[in-house]
Amino acid sequence: MKSAVETLNPTRVRLSIEVPFEELKDSLDAAYKKINQQVTVKGFRKGKIPARVIDQRFGRGAVLEEAVNDALPKFYTEAVNEAEIDVLGQPEVDITELKDGETLNFTAEVDVRPSIEIPDYSGIEVEVDAVEVSDEDVDKAVTELRERFASTSPVERAAEDGDVVTIDLEAKVDGEVLEDGVASGVSYTIGSGELLDGIDDAVKGLEAGGEATFTSELKGGSAAGKEAEVTVKVTQVAARELPELDDEFAQLASEFDTLDELRADSRKRLENMKQYDQATQAQERVLEKLLELVEVPVPEKLLEDEINTRKHNLEHHQLGQMGLDLEKYLEIQGKTVEEFDTETKDAAVKGIKTQFVLDELVKREKLNVNQEELTEHLMRRAASSGMSPDQFAQAVVEGGQVPLLVGEVARGKALAVVVEAATVKDTNGEVIDLDDDEDETAAASAEDAPASSEETPAEAEEKTEG
């Protein structure tokens, strides 16, 4: 076999491959054997029909077609390996010449990973938010904890903001009560925004036994997105009572003995959260700066596939779970179809560029992934997918997607290398040392890669079941 490579553009090549006919012998033998098992000729046992009889009865062309279909993938793979090119996706194959007994010539056009030059990135500088926790932040955290330990008691008065009301609901569309539009004994906290738009104004001022009717757009169910006439009846009004903010509350709500200790722990937790957010912000901004430094051509077919995958995942998985279609989603977001298409394309381009650049860094820095790093990453991905680590791991292994996870971890490590070389300052001008947060948050930032390649079978399965 002989092969030659022609570069069509920075992301696409054409392989021209010549195969002497004698190299097709194994595929021809396999073709005769396969046809032997599929046909019957009077006077011959099945599987024992001579090649000349098959040629006479079914045509030499059928045999050649079967043999070529069998041989093409093998010779294409040999040519790719010989040329040492990193192909992306499936090739477009064209048989240019097939002479029985002489030669098989064909071409294969395929997208390839572009050659990328990574410049010096040590001069990258980014600014991130400072880690500052105010007394007001601590007060808010403690208040939220206090809210979780609130008790309720029935009252004989009109409902007010913050009260918990027990209500019955009935929704009508075009004068007809919906089958799934009736609910009884629903508990609702006024002002929480957890039910229908307009319900707060409807129930405020009502005592037990009172009812009101209002119009609202349904968020889910059989008539999602339609205007409905909703009748709400209040069966009970209960006031929420917060526990006293003292040492006794600290002992009830935590492992601490005093309120001061509880507040100190709340401050520490908030600082940790803000430090993690700060590290994530640093990773994202360093990545953006890195991508600005590197010229990365994007294969058209890969980009097209990536855009389609992102749209499919949004429409058929994420929006489907919320009972929305794309039109309604865009209306809620206040976006036009053109704006959505532009944003999707921009995100797809960024994802592809991110993967190309970080993969190149992995090779350049000779970064490896050990078992402990892979296991930690698998645990994080399992948690985000809503599956147990064992279930997620099994789905990944069965789907042959372990290399995908290894790639994610390696890209995270590559980004961490760049961040370590960069200068990160907060808004107060202080230089930030990200320390241990670096690898973990880098792995998360590096996952802004193609949706088509970054979604494991485990996550796809979880979406489908959802």
Side-chain angles (χ1 to χ4, degrees):
M1 182 199 79
K2 292 193 300 183
S3 64
V5 181
E6 176 188 357
T7 300
L8 303 177
N9 62 49
T11 63
R12 194 164 179 85
V13 300
R14 179 188 293 123
L15 292 162
S16 298
I17 302 164
E18 298 179 16
V19 183
F21 211 79
E22 56 266 22
E23 293 186 31
L24 288 173
K25 183 179 183 308
D26 289 344
S27 294
L28 281 167
D29 290 344
Y32 279 118
K33 185 174 181 180
K34 182 175 181 179
I35 294 173
N36 241 306
Q37 299 300 322
Q38 294 174 338
V39 301
T40 302
V41 176
K42 189 175 181 180
F44 296 95
R45 286 184 296 162
K46 192 162 189 173
K48 300 295 183 179
I49 308 170
R52 59 179 176 76
V53 175
I54 291 177
D55 289 345
Q56 292 168 356
R57 290 294 186 91
F58 306 102
R60 174 72 166 174
V63 178
L64 289 175
E65 181 180 356
E66 183 67 41
V68 168
N69 288 339
D70 175 75
L72 283 179
K74 179 182 69 173
F75 290 116
Y76 165 73
T77 301
E78 286 182 12
V80 166
N81 293 337
E82 185 178 284
E84 296 182 341
I85 53 178
D86 192 350
V87 300
L88 302 168
Q90 296 300 312
E92 294 180 8
V93 176
D94 180 28
I95 298 174
T96 56
E97 187 176 31
L98 175 58
K99 289 185 178 179
D100 194 359
E102 294 184 29
T103 187
L104 163 66
N105 297 337
F106 68 96
T107 62
E109 285 192 21
V110 65
D111 285 335
V112 294
R113 188 180 291 265
S115 176
I116 298 173
E117 292 294 328
I118 306 291
D120 179 19
Y121 48 77
S122 60
I124 290 178
E125 293 187 15
V126 297
E127 184 180 75
V128 295
D129 295 336
V131 174
E132 296 173 343
V133 178
S134 66
D135 290 341
E136 289 74 17
D137 293 330
V138 177
D139 290 341
K140 182 180 178 182
V142 173
T143 298
E144 289 174 355
L145 181 62
R146 193 180 174 204
E147 294 269 358
R148 284 160 45 191
F149 284 85
S151 59
T152 59
S153 57
V155 292
E156 295 183 3
R157 59 166 173 76
E160 303 172 353
D161 265 327
D163 285 344
V164 178
V165 290
T166 304
I167 55 178
D168 297 336
L169 294 165
E170 181 183 84
K172 294 180 181 179
V173 173
D174 297 330
E176 297 290 330
V177 177
L178 300 171
E179 288 186 12
D180 55 355
V182 178
S184 301
V186 177
S187 180
Y188 174 67
T189 301
I190 300 176
S192 67
E194 294 174 351
L195 280 178
L196 300 168
D197 293 337
I199 194 169
D200 289 339
D201 291 336
V203 297
K204 277 191 292 188
L206 296 181
E207 298 184 19
E211 66 177 60
T213 299
F214 63 100
T215 301
S216 182
E217 184 179 296
L218 299 179
K219 296 180 180 180
S222 62
K226 293 184 178 180
E227 288 288 325
E229 183 182 83
V230 183
T231 300
V232 56
K233 180 177 181 180
V234 176
T235 59
Q236 179 181 275
V237 178
R240 300 177 75 248
E241 298 176 3
L242 299 177
E244 290 295 326
L245 204 53
D246 52 23
D247 291 347
E248 187 175 335
F249 166 69
Q251 294 164 19
L252 169 68
S254 72
E255 70 271 29
F256 301 106
D257 293 327
T258 68
L259 184 59
D260 287 342
E261 290 174 329
L262 174 60
R263 288 180 62 85
D265 181 70
S266 296
R267 183 179 295 276
K268 182 62 177 175
R269 289 175 185 272
L270 288 171
E271 287 175 350
N272 289 340
M273 289 172 57
K274 292 201 172 190
Q275 284 171 351
Y276 184 86
D277 291 343
Q278 184 188 65
T280 301
Q281 193 178 65
Q283 307 287 354
E284 293 171 349
R285 292 183 179 179
V286 167
L287 177 59
E288 288 173 3
K289 291 277 189 179
L290 176 64
L291 294 180
E292 290 173 5
L293 293 176
V294 188
E295 185 68 30
V296 186
V298 177
E300 291 183 12
K301 182 66 168 61
L302 182 64
L303 177 58
E304 179 185 340
D305 291 345
E306 179 61 19
I307 291 171
N308 290 337
T309 297
R310 287 175 182 258
K311 287 182 176 180
H312 177 85
N313 287 344
L314 176 66
E315 290 188 62
H316 297 278
H317 297 310
Q318 299 166 36
L319 297 184
Q321 291 177 353
M322 295 186 287
L324 298 175
D325 57 20
L326 183 59
E327 182 180 355
K328 186 61 183 176
Y329 168 75
L330 293 180
E331 181 183 328
I332 293 171
Q333 294 290 316
K335 296 176 183 176
T336 64
V337 173
E338 291 74 19
E339 289 171 335
F340 169 73
D341 286 342
T342 298
E343 288 181 6
T344 303
K345 181 180 180 180
D346 289 345
V349 168
K350 182 182 177 183
I352 292 170
K353 287 185 175 182
T354 295
Q355 181 167 329
F356 284 173
V357 170
L358 295 183
D359 283 348
E360 184 63 29
L361 274 168
V362 169
K363 288 194 296 184
R364 194 174 94 168
E365 301 293 338
K366 296 181 173 60
L367 300 175
N368 296 312
V369 176
N370 61 41
Q371 186 60 49
E372 182 180 355
E373 292 167 334
L374 181 59
T375 300
E376 289 177 359
H377 185 62
L378 186 147
M379 298 281 281
R380 287 196 296 270
R381 291 292 296 267
S384 65
S385 73
M387 302 175 73
S388 73
D390 286 345
Q391 289 175 322
F392 188 84
Q394 182 179 353
V396 167
V397 171
E398 290 178 353
Q401 299 297 309
V402 173
L404 183 150
L405 293 187
V406 172
E408 288 176 358
V409 178
R411 285 190 285 275
K413 294 179 73 171
L415 181 54
V417 168
V418 182
V419 173
E420 186 178 353
T423 299
V424 181
K425 294 182 179 180
D426 67 16
T427 49
N428 295 327
E430 297 290 329
V431 176
I432 304 301
D433 183 3
L434 298 176
D435 292 333
D436 294 338
D437 291 329
E438 207 166 276
D439 284 349
E440 185 175 340
T441 51
S445 295
E447 283 173 27
D448 184 22
S452 55
S453 66
E454 290 302 307
E455 181 179 280
T456 66
E459 290 164 320
E461 177 183 326
E462 178 70 13
K463 287 179 180 177
T464 303
E465 291 176 351

